[in-house]
Amino acid sequence: MGSVGIIGGGISGLALASALERSSTFAISLYDTGSRAFGGRASSRKLQGIPVDHSVQFFIGKNPQFLKQVALWEQANVVQKWSGPIGTLQPDSSFQPFPDQLTRYIGSSDHGMQALSSHMAAQLKRCKLHSNVWVSPSNGLRLYD
């Protein structure tokens, strides 16, 4: 049995930890700089009680295997299909809808995208989660209090 350290507690780091739990006997540790919650770019904060996603507002899925996972997240109420208009504001302040017909998924109404990363972190059984840790390329781990 070996050990694996994952740097970054965003969606990719959490997905890697989950895959390693399913497919290996490695001792797994995940390190993240966030002090509030895991999620990286898929994290949210609340503003006057309303979740605000400050980086990833939605995601799309095309791969059938990934869409099966998305369906499980929908059943767990951590993501939902976006049903409203989506597009960009133009320089003249007009709204330009996206021309594609892709299905976009957003986080839960109560917690935004943070619901997805929190759910993924909670599903981990063997992985040791370390938050508020800076991993320097030259100085190793630094724990912050």
Side-chain angles (χ1 to χ4, degrees):
M1 177 169 107
S3 61
V4 174
I6 301 169
I7 300 171
I11 297 297
S12 294
L14 293 165
L16 176 58
S18 178
L20 286 170
E21 281 193 349
R22 289 190 311 273
S23 65
S24 77
T25 59
F26 291 132
I28 308 161
S29 293
L30 185 143
Y31 302 93
D32 190 66
T33 57
S35 60
R36 210 177 38 77
F38 292 95
R41 303 234 183 273
S43 58
S44 308
R45 293 181 189 263
K46 288 203 174 179
L47 180 64
Q48 298 178 356
I50 300 169
V52 177
D53 296 318
H54 41 92
S55 191
V56 174
Q57 292 87 31
F58 66 86
F59 65 90
I60 61 172
K62 295 180 182 179
N63 177 286
Q65 188 175 357
F66 179 65
L67 289 172
K68 287 179 184 177
Q69 179 60 61
V70 173
L72 294 174
W73 291 333
E74 280 186 282
Q75 290 172 5
N77 295 315
V78 296
V79 300
Q80 58 189 325
K81 290 178 183 160
W82 175 255
S83 60
I86 190 162
T88 58
L89 284 177
Q90 301 302 303
D92 65 358
S93 299
S94 65
F95 180 77
Q96 179 66 45
F98 288 156
D100 60 57
Q101 297 298 314
L102 297 173
T103 299
R104 289 169 172 82
Y105 297 89
I106 61 173
S108 76
S109 299
D110 293 334
H111 302 288
M113 278 295 192
Q114 189 70 59
L116 176 56
S117 51
S118 295
H119 175 78
M120 291 176 73
Q123 297 298 305
L124 296 172
K125 304 295 183 232
R126 292 188 294 115
C127 181
K128 293 181 182 174
L129 299 171
H130 305 274
S131 59
N132 207 22
V133 178
W134 176 254
V135 182
S136 168
S138 57
N139 296 330
L141 297 176
R142 290 188 186 162
L143 302 174
Y144 293 103
D145 296 324

